[in-house]
Amino acid sequence: MNALTPPAFTRHPLSLALWGALSLGLTACGGGGDDAPLTFKPIELNIAHLNDHHSQLEPFANTELSLDGVPTQVDLGGFTRQTTVFKSLAATPNLLKLHAGDAITGSLYYTFFKGKADAQLMNSICFDAFTPGNHEFDDGDGVLKGFLDALADPANGGACKTPTVSANIVPQAGTPLAPAGAAGYLQPSVIKKIDGVDVGIVGVSTGVKTVSSSRPLATTQFLDEVPATQKAIDALKARGVRHIVLLSHLGFDGDKALAAQLTDVDVIIGGDSHTLLGDFKSVGLSTGTGAYPTVVKNKSGETVCIGQAWEYAKAYGLMNVKFNESGSVSQCGGKAQLVIGDNYKRSVITTDTTGKQVTTWQPLADAERQALTAKLASHPAVKVAAPDAAAAQTLSTYASQVTAQKAITIGTASEALCLMRVPGGNNRSTGTAGCEAANTLARGSDAAQVVAEAFLRASKRADFALQNAGGVRTPIAAGTLSMNTAFTLLPFTNVLVEMDLKGSEVVAALEDGASSHLDAAVPSDGAHPYAAGLRWDLDMSKAKGQRCSNVQVKNKTTGAWTAIDPAKTYVLVTNDFVAAGGDGYNTLKPIYAAGRYVNTYLLYTQSFVDYVIAKGTISRPAAGDYAHQKVTTKAGVALP
């Protein structure tokens, strides 16, 4: 055996004693006998992390928070502010900077630049590791390769050469991610030296969701997450690596479940579920899902620290992990914080020329602004940061090319169109006025409902339209709608297709959408169905095949609703992703494969743009036109 290569070990003192002080500089406690407890150099690890920024490089303007107890509008997030925050951590000892996936797709910066803009802004932070999310494969392995090329290109700021890690993605040799005669783009893990000690970073990416919800090559394998991750951990153990950080894109619940099935994992930095961990009630948000960090146990009963930092570059996490002399986690702490600008606005009531009181949002006077910033300096939930000058200059070179398109006004929304995926589920409309309790209502996602209405208008043949919840990415605030609104709402490259279906097939497809998050081993609430011209009662407490009842179809001419006829042929319009069986729509998959559809070649985003332009002002549909009429949750609770 090579004297520099330690044998594989487990986390039990007797098994570790043979390696001992020979190569890791360890010292034995007690009397120095062979069976004395082995000690390690205690280290403290700090991990700054992002996830799911989805090409959202600009801040979310005029987001309402409660600051110092007063409703206040701020610019929330923005990647150039994240650069400032990460640079401010440069003096933090033993720092790792990690990105947990879904860097791309979600804005015009991706639409026009296919990841190059994201890569250059990520290089302004210089992450120590990145793991692919499912949306990295939305346009296939080749586009992901282009993004990773940009991430490593010195001309694009890629001097740090961020490694891309995933233990369970295996591209076929000769394909874009595993080119013949060259190094592959993915590796299971990477080792970083922290305070003289090796720390392993293992990547793991969601497999079932990527295959069903994105467009990887059919030859790209997504191995089962548990054995693939354990194999990568064991390989690091065999090299003497004692401390393991898992960089995961499995979602918060998936991370907790995975931790319990793995040995020797210490930390999980996650993404995919857009989870904000921590307590943000002090700033008026109830989004927090759990503690930051969340502490669980691995298969060996040892402590595992889990962190995730919400979405769209709105927040970042900074985790502190302390390892004791036995090499185990003794303590984990830290916090996630919202990143905001200091251009605060507060409501002012004035009287117009007619004597009517009008509420407007006005910037704070400079002295008040400075005083509020000083108060927030020690606030645990927010971090005030100015844009990094160099990163802002980089962004401006891209922004100037998309500004004209983004600025085009297409219409208005008379009220907020709220976003969630499943009625009664997670509210994804935090910060959007008028949506505070939307997830408690049977109607579910207003935004997905209106998108379905747009699809139905775009199709001359269709009797009704179907849209999966996860394809609609943002809520719509009341006010002016622009091209940017549309491309942020519907950021993918889908087109609309029309399918001839029996009524029985339509109902089966609705059951597929509900089953994908209620029955699947890897739940995908993005599959949940919304429709226009079609409505039903939903009971999620029942078994598949019994959940969607009282299914009715609206006559496009008369507006009358009648029960769907199982034997009658109807025309359904939907996006080509769902039509091809994506997100678990297994009833539609063989129909699409058999060619029982017509491709309209209408870009689904443009169909929404055309709908808004035609209507001028959009709003929530009438109550009777919502897809969900009555909803009972999985727990048996009827929603109002």
Side-chain angles (χ1 to χ4, degrees):
M1 179 180 292
N2 188 320
L4 296 179
T5 304
F9 60 79
T10 61
R11 295 195 173 184
H12 302 287
L14 288 177
S15 302
L16 287 167
L18 292 176
W19 179 238
L22 292 178
S23 63
L24 297 181
L26 309 176
T27 58
C29 299
D34 290 341
D35 58 352
L38 197 64
T39 62
F40 292 80
K41 175 182 177 180
I43 66 168
E44 183 173 343
L45 181 62
N46 291 296
I47 306 172
H49 57 97
L50 291 180
N51 56 275
D52 297 276
H53 86 256
H54 281 290
S55 299
Q56 296 295 338
L57 304 180
E58 295 188 1
F60 290 78
N62 303 322
T63 300
E64 186 175 331
L65 300 175
S66 176
L67 299 180
D68 200 23
V70 181
T72 308
Q73 286 187 347
V74 297
D75 281 356
L76 176 61
F79 212 96
T80 60
R81 285 192 175 89
Q82 291 286 1
T83 302
T84 296
V85 170
F86 275 72
K87 284 185 176 181
S88 74
L89 301 173
T92 304
N94 304 338
L95 181 68
L96 286 177
K97 296 175 290 183
L98 304 178
H99 193 305
D102 276 5
I104 57 177
T105 74
S107 79
L108 290 180
Y109 286 101
Y110 177 75
T111 301
F112 292 134
F113 305 113
K114 296 301 179 187
K116 183 178 180 182
D118 296 280
Q120 194 161 359
L121 269 293
M122 287 173 66
N123 283 333
S124 72
I125 289 177
C126 202
F127 290 97
D128 291 300
F130 166 74
T131 197
N134 51 300
H135 287 288
E136 264 69 63
F137 287 90
D138 279 346
D139 287 316
D141 294 42
V143 172
L144 173 54
K145 172 188 178 296
F147 164 62
L148 297 179
D149 282 338
L151 197 62
D153 186 355
N156 205 44
C160 51
K161 298 189 182 300
T162 299
T164 302
V165 293
S166 181
N168 68 313
I169 301 178
V170 184
Q172 180 173 285
T175 60
L177 296 176
Y185 282 77
L186 308 179
Q187 53 190 305
S189 63
V190 65
I191 298 173
K192 290 290 183 178
K193 189 75 73 174
I194 301 294
D195 195 20
V197 176
D198 286 340
V199 174
I201 304 169
V202 175
V204 61
S205 309
T206 178
V208 173
K209 186 174 183 179
T210 304
V211 172
S212 65
S213 299
S214 297
R215 292 185 173 94
L217 289 174
T219 55
T220 299
Q221 296 182 64
F222 290 81
L223 306 178
D224 185 270
E225 290 91 346
V226 176
T229 303
Q230 189 66 63
K231 180 180 178 181
I233 291 173
D234 292 345
L236 289 173
K237 287 167 54 184
R239 298 175 63 182
V241 179
R242 176 67 176 82
H243 308 301
I244 306 294
V245 176
L246 181 59
L247 188 56
S248 160
H249 197 84
L250 300 179
F252 182 54
D253 289 339
D255 289 339
K256 290 186 289 184
L258 185 63
Q261 300 175 76
L262 298 175
T263 62
D264 302 295
V265 64
D266 300 302
V267 178
I268 300 178
I269 299 298
D272 185 56
S273 56
H274 297 225
T275 301
L276 181 60
L277 296 177
D279 186 354
F280 294 87
K281 294 184 180 64
S282 62
V283 292
L285 296 185
S286 57
T287 299
T289 302
Y292 184 100
T294 293
V295 179
V296 299
K297 298 293 185 181
N298 66 19
K299 189 175 181 179
S300 303
E302 297 173 310
T303 297
V304 180
C305 317
I306 299 177
Q308 193 175 144
W310 206 13
E311 62 184 9
Y312 307 145
K314 295 174 181 176
Y316 80 105
L318 181 60
M319 185 184 294
N320 175 265
V321 185
K322 295 179 181 177
F323 294 91
N324 58 27
E325 291 185 347
S326 70
S328 299
V329 173
S330 61
Q331 183 179 337
C332 51
K335 59 190 173 184
Q337 290 183 294
L338 308 180
V339 177
I340 65 173
D342 66 353
N343 54 336
Y344 318 109
K345 296 178 184 177
R346 285 182 169 165
S347 59
V348 176
I349 299 176
T350 59
T351 303
D352 65 15
T353 55
T354 66
K356 181 181 177 180
Q357 286 189 330
V358 178
T359 300
T360 59
W361 291 87
Q362 300 292 333
L364 290 184
D366 193 56
E368 294 177 289
R369 180 185 60 80
Q370 293 183 34
L372 180 55
T373 298
K375 282 187 177 181
L376 296 176
S378 59
H379 200 293
V382 295
K383 177 79 170 180
V384 181
D388 176 78
Q393 178 60 40
T394 296
L395 182 59
S396 70
T397 64
Y398 295 101
S400 62
Q401 301 175 61
V402 301
T403 297
Q405 288 292 324
K406 290 175 63 177
I408 295 174
T409 296
I410 60 175
T412 59
S414 63
E415 57 189 338
L417 302 176
C418 309
L419 182 75
M420 69 282 309
R421 293 189 170 180
V422 180
N426 183 34
N427 191 345
R428 294 175 176 244
S429 308
T430 300
T432 303
C435 294
E436 292 79 6
N439 62 318
T440 66
L441 305 176
R443 69 180 191 236
S445 179
D446 305 318
Q449 184 70 41
V450 170
V451 165
E453 299 285 348
F455 292 175
L456 184 56
R457 177 190 177 277
S459 173
K460 294 181 179 179
R461 295 180 59 240
D463 296 295
F464 36 75
L466 175 67
Q467 170 62 30
N468 57 319
V472 182
R473 305 303 295 177
T474 60
I476 299 174
T480 300
L481 306 182
S482 66
M483 286 291 290
N484 185 54
T485 308
F487 278 92
T488 303
L489 180 77
L490 301 170
F492 309 118
T493 55
N494 298 110
V495 294
L496 299 185
V497 298
E498 298 166 341
M499 309 182 77
D500 292 350
L501 303 174
K502 297 291 186 182
S504 57
E505 293 172 322
V506 173
V507 177
L510 299 179
E511 292 281 352
D512 285 343
S515 180
S516 284
H517 65 90
L518 292 170
D519 304 321
V522 181
S524 176
D525 58 4
H528 194 80
Y530 287 85
L534 190 69
R535 67 186 187 184
W536 58 86
D537 297 338
L538 175 68
D539 190 340
M540 291 182 278
S541 69
K542 292 185 176 180
K544 183 178 180 180
Q546 304 173 28
R547 290 170 177 144
C548 297
S549 62
N550 194 27
V551 181
Q552 297 182 320
V553 180
K554 185 178 183 179
N555 186 294
K556 290 179 72 172
T557 302
T558 67
W561 290 91
T562 56
I564 195 168
D565 184 342
K568 181 179 177 179
T569 297
Y570 298 90
V571 178
L572 167 73
V573 63
T574 188
N575 64 72
D576 58 336
F577 168 71
V578 167
D583 260 350
Y585 279 90
N586 296 324
T587 299
L588 302 182
K589 185 174 182 177
I591 297 170
Y592 185 88
R596 285 172 51 193
Y597 70 92
V598 175
N599 192 333
T600 70
Y601 295 101
L602 295 171
L603 179 65
Y604 82 148
T605 312
Q606 190 62 48
S607 298
F608 177 77
V609 170
D610 294 342
Y611 174 78
V612 174
I613 291 173
K615 292 185 71 69
T617 299
I618 62 173
S619 59
R620 299 169 189 164
D625 287 338
Y626 272 88
H628 300 96
Q629 290 295 294
K630 296 179 181 179
V631 173
T632 301
T633 68
K634 190 174 183 178
V637 178
L639 299 180

